[in-house]
């Protein structure tokens, strides 16, 4: 019995020593994202908009290149963004539109959900607690701090983080009555995936609308 109690005390002491706070988990997740930034990242984003319905975006990002696949009940598009150029194709149509991305307009590096640093502002702007956990993941609740004066920041964010790799599993939030969820994070995006190749669209006309 004495040996068992000593083992239990040692185990509990080790558990307490290595226990992590929610903020520490997010910091390690952000470091993991930073370490794998060069590999590229893919994810799905679901946005539930009143009246319009759910719009699903699949995003593939590598360096300055991004591929966006947007699906909704009303429109589907595939867009390639390469620094200052954009190719847009509507499946089933007969043309691809080539346009410039004007300075000051959103581009691949500006859009939320397309960059490995998308969660960098959470540790500073939110109080983070561990809502629940199991052997696979942590579920973290992030509530906006009173000191966070950014009115565009959601009041609450829910994060799921994988325990073995510290990679994000999902992020969900609500802002201005719109529910948004990021999920299916995948690291490792090929150059071919994010590069527009006319050979993949045989018979399709490229309409150059650059000015």
């Amino acid at each position: 019995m004495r040996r068992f109690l000593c083992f239990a005390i040692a185990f509990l002491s080790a558990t307490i020593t290595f226990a992590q706070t929610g903020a520490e988990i997010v910091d390690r997740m952000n470091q993991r994202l930073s370490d794998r930034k060069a590999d590229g990242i893919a994810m799905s984003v679901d946005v539930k908009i009143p009246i319009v319905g759910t719009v699903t975006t699949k995003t593939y990002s590598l360096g300055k290149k991004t591929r966006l696949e947007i699906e909704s009940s009303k429109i589907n598009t595939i867009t390639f963004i390469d620094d200052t150029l954009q190719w847009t194709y509507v499946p089933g149509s007969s043309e691809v539109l080539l346009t410039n991305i004007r300075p000051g307009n959103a581009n691949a590096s500006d859009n939320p959900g397309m960059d490995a640093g998308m969660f960098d502002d959470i540790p500073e702007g939110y109080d983070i607690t561990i809502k629940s956990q199991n052997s696979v993941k942590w579920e973290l609740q992030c509530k906006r701090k009173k000191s966070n004066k950014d009115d565009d920041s959601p009041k609450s964010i829910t994060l799921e983080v994988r325990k073995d790799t510290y990679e994000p599993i999902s992020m969900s939030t609500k802002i201005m009555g719109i529910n948004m969820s990021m999920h299916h994070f995948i690291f490792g995006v090929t150059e071919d995936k994010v590069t527009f190749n006319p050979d993949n669209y045989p018979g399709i006309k490229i309409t150059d609308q650059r000015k």
Side-chain angles (χ1 to χ4, degrees):
M1 175 63 72
R2 183 175 180 179
R3 181 178 298 176
F4 172 78
L5 289 174
C6 290
F7 172 79
I9 292 171
F11 176 79
L12 287 173
S13 297
T15 301
I16 294 171
T17 300
F18 290 104
Q20 300 174 87
T21 65
E24 289 170 339
I25 293 168
V26 175
D27 282 339
R28 293 194 64 174
M29 180 191 71
N30 281 330
Q31 184 59 53
R32 177 67 171 176
L33 288 168
S34 178
D35 291 343
R36 299 213 58 182
K37 185 174 182 178
D39 298 331
I41 186 171
M43 72 191 75
S44 294
V45 181
D46 295 332
V47 180
K48 295 183 179 180
I49 305 173
I51 301 176
V52 175
T54 299
V55 178
T56 298
T57 301
K58 294 180 181 178
T59 306
Y60 307 84
S61 182
L62 179 64
K64 292 185 177 181
K65 293 184 177 182
T66 298
R67 174 188 178 128
L68 300 177
E69 299 178 4
I70 301 177
E71 300 178 4
S72 72
S73 60
K74 295 184 178 181
I75 189 170
N76 297 326
T77 62
I78 300 174
T79 301
F80 295 87
I81 300 172
D82 184 355
D83 198 10
T84 61
L85 296 178
Q86 178 172 302
W87 294 262
T88 303
Y89 173 63
V90 177
S93 67
S94 59
E95 67 177 349
V96 171
L97 301 180
L98 172 59
T99 57
N100 284 321
I101 300 176
R102 294 190 301 274
N105 282 11
N107 58 36
S109 63
D110 295 328
N111 286 331
M114 297 183 196
D115 189 274
M118 69 191 94
F119 302 121
D120 281 351
D121 59 344
I122 291 181
E124 182 177 351
Y126 290 81
D127 292 317
I128 307 168
T129 57
I130 300 174
K131 184 177 180 181
S132 66
Q133 63 177 302
N134 55 34
S135 60
V136 176
K137 66 181 181 180
W138 290 285
E139 182 181 8
L140 307 176
Q141 192 67 46
C142 312
K143 292 187 176 181
R144 193 172 73 186
K145 295 179 179 179
K146 292 182 178 179
S147 59
N148 185 351
K149 302 303 181 181
D150 184 0
D151 293 335
D152 292 332
S153 298
K155 291 182 179 180
S156 178
I157 298 172
T158 300
L159 273 175
E160 291 185 329
V161 181
R162 197 178 302 279
K163 280 190 171 181
D164 56 348
T165 63
Y166 286 90
E167 293 174 359
I169 297 174
S170 70
M171 187 280 284
S172 58
T173 189
K174 183 176 182 179
I175 185 169
M176 298 176 62
I178 297 175
N179 291 293
M180 184 183 72
S181 173
M182 294 181 183
H183 53 93
H184 287 92
F185 291 86
I186 299 174
F187 291 92
V189 175
T190 64
E191 189 78 17
D192 289 342
K193 191 68 175 179
V194 294
T195 301
F196 174 73
N197 184 353
D199 294 339
N200 294 333
Y201 300 89
I204 299 298
K205 175 185 176 183
I206 299 178
T207 302
D208 192 338
Q209 295 186 329
R210 289 177 292 178
K211 297 180 180 179

